[in-house]
Amino acid sequence: MITNKEIVDDLNDLVKINNDRIQGYEKAIEDTEDPQLDDLFRHYVIQSQNFRSQLADHIVRIDGLAVSDATSTDVSSKIHRAWIDIKSALTGKDRDTVLSSVEFGESAAVESYQDAIAKDHIPAYIREVLQKQLSELQEAWEKVKGLKKVA
């Protein structure tokens, strides 16, 4: 039997993914001196803050108190941020390296959303929200990949 706890746990995992995405983009902003990328990355920070807020609304409606800390992140996400830190330190804030790191992070976010959406216990009204967020994440991923090709 599916419980609300399982749904809340899955949504909290996506909150953590968005927390990591925010932190990853904030780090990428620090690591690039390209105003075009700064603006784009700031947009994605705001996007993830909005996603996180939407997820939190659903979590609160389901059980009223199980929203993950706004700054908590996933262990695998912490590994990703450390990877960004190491690569940027070695390459001196190279645009292509920053974009490659961001592309890797977007790929992980897309995969996490796809996994969550595939779960049978996610209610249709929440799945609809996740599909919309996934669509925007896929657009961001494609945008970042396109910028790499131009760079």
Side-chain angles (χ1 to χ4, degrees):
M1 179 177 163
I2 302 304
T3 65
N4 284 347
K5 181 182 179 333
E6 290 173 288
I7 298 166
V8 167
D9 287 347
D10 288 335
L11 294 179
N12 269 321
D13 286 344
L14 296 178
V15 167
K16 291 174 186 175
I17 291 295
N18 279 288
N19 288 341
D20 181 64
R21 190 170 181 251
I22 290 165
Q23 291 176 13
Y25 274 115
E26 287 172 344
K27 177 63 179 156
I29 290 166
E30 291 173 20
D31 287 351
T32 183
E33 296 169 0
D34 183 326
Q36 175 194 15
L37 292 182
D38 282 357
D39 289 345
L40 181 65
F41 294 168
R42 287 180 208 290
H43 169 76
Y44 292 148
V45 166
I46 293 167
Q47 182 183 63
S48 267
Q49 290 168 337
N50 290 334
F51 289 173
R52 182 177 64 193
S53 177
Q54 292 168 8
L55 294 166
D57 287 347
H58 286 294
I59 292 167
V60 169
R61 280 188 213 131
I62 292 169
D63 83 353
L65 47 92
V67 179
S68 283
D69 180 338
T71 59
S72 70
T73 60
D74 187 47
V75 173
S76 63
S77 299
K78 287 179 183 175
I79 293 168
H80 173 245
R81 272 195 315 283
W83 183 76
I84 289 175
D85 290 343
I86 292 166
K87 285 194 82 173
S88 66
L90 294 175
T91 60
K93 302 181 182 185
D94 173 76
R95 176 187 162 102
D96 193 48
T97 301
V98 170
L99 286 170
S100 291
S101 298
V102 167
E103 179 185 359
F104 180 82
E106 288 293 4
S107 172
V110 165
E111 186 176 318
S112 295
Y113 268 79
Q114 289 170 333
D115 290 347
I117 289 167
K119 293 183 178 178
D120 291 336
H121 62 264
I122 299 294
Y125 72 98
I126 294 175
R127 184 174 283 113
E128 186 176 316
V129 171
L130 299 182
Q131 287 281 16
K132 184 177 182 320
Q133 290 182 1
L134 173 60
S135 176
E136 291 183 44
L137 287 170
Q138 289 170 323
E139 287 175 23
W141 188 24
E142 291 301 319
K143 174 86 172 176
V144 169
K145 287 194 288 189
L147 287 171
K148 260 183 66 185
K149 293 174 185 171
V150 171

